[in-house]
């Protein structure tokens, strides 16, 4: 409605105009531009989540580092990407490395806090049982804590998937690689093609949603396994 009545002076196009913009460019245009973005998002997603999960595991094993680890996670979350980008751009010569780093930062806090919360969720009785049978902190971690943490960890990963796409797009928007959703947005913006800008943003949102859906699909089975329901039905 806002686009149809031009409430914002044409900055919001009609849905039909956005669909026409997608059709005018063709799917090859979006495949060529979003393939690098998806690849860099995936790399950032993997690196950021692996580091976050490893750090959460270390906090459980070595409680003394919790303060430093938590502060690091909070800093990564509270610092705006647009403020970090120039520093990262100087630190990393390769444009792709910078984009992956920004995507990794975008997912680090959510996964680290979610995993740590899950690792601390088991009932004390379960931990005491492992201890009675001679198991130490590491045995409790492997046999009880990790399994109990799976639902919380995958809940964080569902949020991290769209965040990685957003971090990669922002990284491309600032670093300007040859191809990507970010450069495509800038070109459409500079040419004044408002429907194309919204079309690219719509496709980016769809890609983020697909990432969320893939993680959510696997989380159903992981949660059933973690809660002891894998063998039911």
């Amino acid at each position: 409605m806002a686009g149809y009545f031009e409430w914002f002076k044409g900055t919001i196009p009609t849905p039909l105009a956005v669909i026409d913009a997608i059709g005018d460019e063709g799917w090859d245009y979006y495949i060529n531009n979003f393939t690098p973005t998806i690849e860099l998002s995936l790399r950032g997603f993997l690196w950021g989540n692996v580091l976050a999960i490893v750090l959460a595991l270390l906090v459980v094993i070595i409680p003394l580092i919790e303060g430093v680890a938590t502060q690091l996670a909070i800093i990564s979350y509270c610092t705006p990407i647009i403020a970090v980008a120039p520093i990262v751009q100087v630190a990393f010569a390769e444009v792709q490395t910078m984009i992956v780093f920004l995507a990794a930062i975008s997912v680090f806090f959510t996964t680290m806090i979610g995993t740590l919360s899950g690792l601390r969720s088991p009932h004390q009785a379960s931990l005491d049982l492992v201890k009675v049978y001679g198991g130490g902190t590491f045995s409790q971690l492997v046999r009880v804590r990790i399994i109990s943490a799976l639902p919380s960890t995958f809940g964080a990963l569902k949020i991290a998937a769209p965040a990685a796409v957003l971090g990669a797009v922002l990284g491309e928007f600032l670093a300007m690689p040859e191809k990507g959703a970010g450069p495509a947005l800038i070109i459409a913006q500079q040419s004044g093609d408002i429907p194309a800008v919204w079309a690219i943003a719509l496709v980016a949102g769809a890609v983020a949603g697909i990432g969320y859906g893939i993680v959510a699909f696997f989380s159903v089975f992981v949660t059933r396994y973690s809660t002891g329901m894998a063998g039911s039905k």
Side-chain angles (χ1 to χ4, degrees):
M1 183 178 292
Y4 181 80
F5 289 104
E6 297 184 354
W7 287 349
F8 298 95
K9 299 180 180 180
T11 55
I12 299 180
T14 62
L16 183 59
V18 175
I19 294 173
D20 289 339
I22 295 176
D24 292 340
E25 295 292 349
W27 286 112
D28 289 339
Y29 170 81
Y30 292 98
I31 291 173
N32 291 334
N33 281 290
F34 274 89
T35 297
T37 304
I38 294 172
E39 179 184 351
L40 296 174
S41 300
L42 182 59
R43 288 168 58 185
F45 178 83
L46 293 175
W47 276 108
N49 288 319
V50 167
L51 292 175
I53 292 172
V54 169
L55 186 58
L57 293 172
L58 288 175
V59 168
V60 174
I61 298 173
I62 313 172
L64 291 175
I65 68 172
E66 180 179 359
V68 176
T70 304
Q71 290 178 6
L72 180 64
I74 292 174
I75 290 172
S76 70
Y77 178 75
C78 294
T79 305
I81 292 181
I82 196 170
V84 177
I87 301 174
V88 177
Q89 195 168 14
V90 173
F92 298 107
E94 293 187 3
V95 172
Q96 289 188 348
T97 305
M98 170 192 168
I99 297 171
V100 171
F101 185 85
L102 293 177
I105 287 179
S106 301
V107 308
F108 182 81
F109 174 82
T110 303
T111 303
M112 189 266 184
I113 298 301
T115 303
L116 185 58
S117 175
L119 290 171
R120 290 175 169 170
S121 64
H123 295 292
Q124 186 61 40
S126 301
L127 300 174
D128 292 340
L129 180 62
V130 175
K131 189 174 182 180
V132 167
Y133 280 96
T137 302
F138 185 76
S139 296
Q140 291 176 339
L141 179 67
V142 174
R143 298 178 182 276
V144 179
R145 292 188 185 275
I146 290 179
I147 296 175
S148 298
L150 289 176
S152 180
T153 301
F154 269 81
L157 292 177
K158 287 190 289 186
I159 301 173
V165 176
L166 175 61
V169 172
L170 288 175
E172 289 178 340
F173 197 83
L174 297 170
M176 277 298 292
E178 295 182 359
K179 290 184 179 181
L185 273 171
I186 293 176
I187 293 172
Q189 184 180 13
Q190 290 177 344
S191 63
D193 193 347
I194 295 175
V197 173
W198 280 78
I200 295 169
L202 181 64
V203 175
V207 170
I210 291 172
Y212 179 93
I214 292 173
V215 178
F217 174 79
F218 286 104
S219 70
V220 173
F221 301 98
V222 172
T223 301
R224 290 185 61 190
Y225 166 76
S226 175
T227 56
M229 297 173 59
S232 64
K233 297 183 181 180

